[in-house]
Amino acid sequence: MNWWAASRNVPTLAAVTAATAGAGLAFGQSRIPVPAMVGGAGHFLLGALITVTPAVIWLAFTGRARNATETVAVRAVHRLDTLLAAVCAVLTLGMAVLGHFMGAEAVALAIGRNTVFYLGLALILNPLTGARVAAPVLTAIPLILAVGGWKSGGRGAQPWAVVLHPSTSVPALVAGIAVLLAGTTLSCLKQPRGTF
């Protein structure tokens, strides 16, 4: 187990996840103006952008080893990787909910929801494309959502643009958790696609 924790650099991933949550609480309400594809200009909270960081770091750490080597391991390494992402997601969501009830701004809920959403997408993309392709694709998703995720005239977010919804949106939270559950299931059942 030590080799797996060392190769995945678990302490660094935990630190990045905690730092992302902290930075999200501190600066997550900052608005970034972006042009909308359907007219008018949208606004994009920094909390919707920086929350992709733990998922990209998870992909980078899990994609460092050769897939051919890990598929012959005695333990199902891809399941340990899935568990690591799920634990990061649940801890972040738990910290966000706890922070919200302790009086933190409502953006705390968005930080947790968005981190869960991005980790779920990483778990979906990794078995389909491999970590080396999934990381840049995942990095582009917040930008695509920022530009194309607004309704005409900037009157709210499209239903599929989960990270753009208000912090207290229950449907967006349910969608984020659903993406995480789908990703966890797929990632447990399917080995990551090899890139070597």
Side-chain angles (χ1 to χ4, degrees):
M1 201 60 145
N2 289 340
W3 62 269
W4 173 81
S7 71
R8 296 321 191 243
N9 208 347
V10 173
T12 302
L13 179 61
V16 165
T17 303
T20 300
L25 289 173
F27 307 111
Q29 291 284 58
S30 302
R31 294 182 184 270
I32 304 168
V34 292
M37 294 292 286
V38 290
H43 59 277
F44 194 62
L45 293 179
L46 188 61
L49 180 61
I50 63 172
T51 50
V52 75
T53 307
V56 172
I57 297 298
W58 177 82
L59 284 167
F61 288 167
T62 58
R64 291 190 297 184
R66 293 176 61 94
N67 192 39
T69 305
E70 292 192 344
T71 55
V72 296
V74 174
R75 291 187 178 106
V77 177
H78 69 286
R79 291 192 178 124
L80 292 173
D81 292 339
T82 302
L83 178 64
L84 179 61
V87 166
C88 284
V90 169
L91 287 176
T92 303
L93 189 58
M95 288 174 19
V97 170
L98 182 64
H100 177 68
F101 285 123
M102 291 181 69
E105 293 185 34
V107 73
L109 295 174
I111 299 298
R113 175 198 67 204
N114 296 347
T115 304
V116 165
F117 175 72
Y118 288 130
L119 281 165
L121 286 179
L123 286 167
I124 291 170
L125 289 171
N126 192 33
L128 299 177
T129 64
R132 291 184 183 214
V133 174
V137 168
L138 189 63
T139 304
I141 287 176
L143 305 174
I144 293 167
L145 291 174
V147 173
W150 296 104
K151 291 180 181 174
S152 180
R155 296 171 297 153
Q158 297 285 354
W160 50 266
V162 173
V163 301
L164 301 180
H165 288 273
S167 302
T168 55
S169 171
V170 174
L173 176 63
V174 170
I177 292 172
V179 169
L180 177 68
L181 291 175
T184 302
T185 303
L186 178 64
S187 188
C188 278
L189 297 176
K190 187 170 173 30
Q191 292 266 359
R193 183 174 174 179
T195 55
F196 294 94

